[in-house]
Amino acid sequence: MSMPSNHSPVDPVVHDDPAVAAAVARLSAEFAPRVQPSVISRVVVGSRVDLSGAPGPALPELVERLARQRLLQAAGADAGA
């Protein structure tokens, strides 16, 4: 499955964000082997960037939920193609 990237280069701090690392780990376990880890990472980072204005305490849950929804939508689109 390939996901388009609509994001500019990401601030390296986003990659070190614990919310990103935790979401990548959980979603990798959930979507393996259907989705490549690099795709999951890219979707999670993109979700984190899109949620940059969200309150800090809410970020871990919001990032994971948004990324999961995007992965599910992409998987559904690929299954229907």
Side-chain angles (χ1 to χ4, degrees), residues 3-20:
M3 299 280 300
S5 176
N6 298 331
H7 300 285
S8 58
V10 178
D11 183 341
V13 173
V14 171
H15 288 285
D16 295 332
D17 187 325
V20 169

Side-chain angles (χ1 to χ4, degrees), residues 4-76:
S5 176
N6 298 331
H7 300 285
S8 58
V10 178
D11 183 341
V13 173
V14 171
H15 288 285
D16 295 332
D17 187 325
V20 169
V24 167
R26 283 190 292 272
L27 292 171
S28 292
E30 182 177 335
F31 285 91
R34 297 176 293 158
V35 182
Q36 296 176 357
S38 61
V39 173
I40 293 171
S41 180
R42 190 168 61 242
V43 170
V44 171
V45 168
S47 298
R48 171 61 180 87
V49 169
D50 290 345
L51 292 168
S52 62
L59 272 175
E61 181 177 356
L62 293 174
V63 167
E64 186 169 339
R65 284 180 180 227
L66 180 57
R68 179 179 288 109
Q69 185 61 37
R70 289 176 172 176
L71 290 164
L72 288 169
Q73 285 177 335

